[in-house]
Amino acid sequence: MTSPHYDHEFLEAAIELARENVRSGKGGPFGSVVVKEGKIIGRGENRVTSSLDPSAHAEIVAIRDACQQQQNFSLAGTTIYASCQPCPMCLSAIYWSRIDRVVFAASGDDAAAAGFDDEWILTNLKLPLGEQPLTIERLVIDGHKSPFQLWAASPGKMEY
């Protein structure tokens, strides 16, 4: 895991990615780097508008880059530095990628003041499924468990 001694340097790198992204017009004011053993192994800038991909947040882009660079879906032993507090989607991806530590600069409130507010999502995620504004339905059909049964019986599966 990265030493806190390097935190300022790597957080500044994430912030500079965010600044450059705004200057280039390629996306929102967010940047992120993934660091392992004192070296940047993944970089990402917000690409939502340029790629027309609502999941292309800086942290997600940096995680994808780091995984490709490491040729591994696990980023255990790494720290992610983000110019802003990760949103719920990015935080989930951080957990799924097994990153050990998150360091961020601007708060969610700072982002909200600039028009990037996660509060609506956070509030609705806490509601029971039937009370969320998004219609979420479960339909049980024959064979609905078969993909999991095949997975459990597969000798060549890669656990994650």
Side-chain angles (χ1 to χ4, degrees):
M1 186 153 44
T2 304
S3 163
H5 170 72
Y6 296 107
D7 285 350
H8 189 274
E9 172 187 346
F10 292 123
L11 196 52
E12 181 56 43
I15 293 168
E16 182 53 33
L17 284 172
R19 286 191 290 250
E20 182 53 38
N21 205 46
V22 172
R23 288 184 199 111
S24 72
K26 293 181 180 174
F30 303 95
S32 184
V33 295
V34 178
V35 174
K36 183 174 186 175
E37 297 172 357
K39 295 180 183 167
I40 295 175
I41 61 167
R43 290 176 171 78
E45 310 87 7
N46 179 283
R47 300 287 182 186
V48 171
T49 56
S50 62
S51 68
L52 304 177
D53 177 357
S55 70
H57 289 199
E59 296 90 339
I60 303 286
V61 173
I63 288 168
R64 289 173 180 161
D65 185 39
C67 287
Q68 290 302 305
Q69 297 300 323
Q70 297 296 293
Q71 288 294 288
N72 197 331
F73 59 82
S74 174
L75 295 175
T78 65
T79 297
I80 190 165
Y81 293 86
S83 62
C84 186
Q85 185 174 356
C87 75
M89 176 184 67
C90 292
L91 197 55
S92 294
I94 290 165
Y95 275 111
W96 275 112
S97 65
R98 314 298 196 272
I99 289 173
D100 294 340
R101 185 168 172 252
V102 178
V103 179
F104 66 90
S107 70
D109 290 339
D110 296 328
F116 300 92
D117 195 353
D118 299 339
E119 193 58 40
W120 185 82
I121 294 170
L122 291 168
T123 298
N124 285 294
L125 285 175
K126 294 175 187 175
L127 295 173
L129 291 182
E131 295 178 26
Q132 293 185 19
L134 175 65
T135 301
I136 304 171
E137 301 173 0
R138 180 175 185 206
L139 177 60
V140 178
I141 63 171
D142 288 341
H144 70 279
K145 292 183 184 179
S146 62
F148 298 112
Q149 293 162 341
L150 286 169
W151 173 260
S154 175
K157 67 181 172 249
M158 183 181 292
E159 298 284 346
Y160 66 96

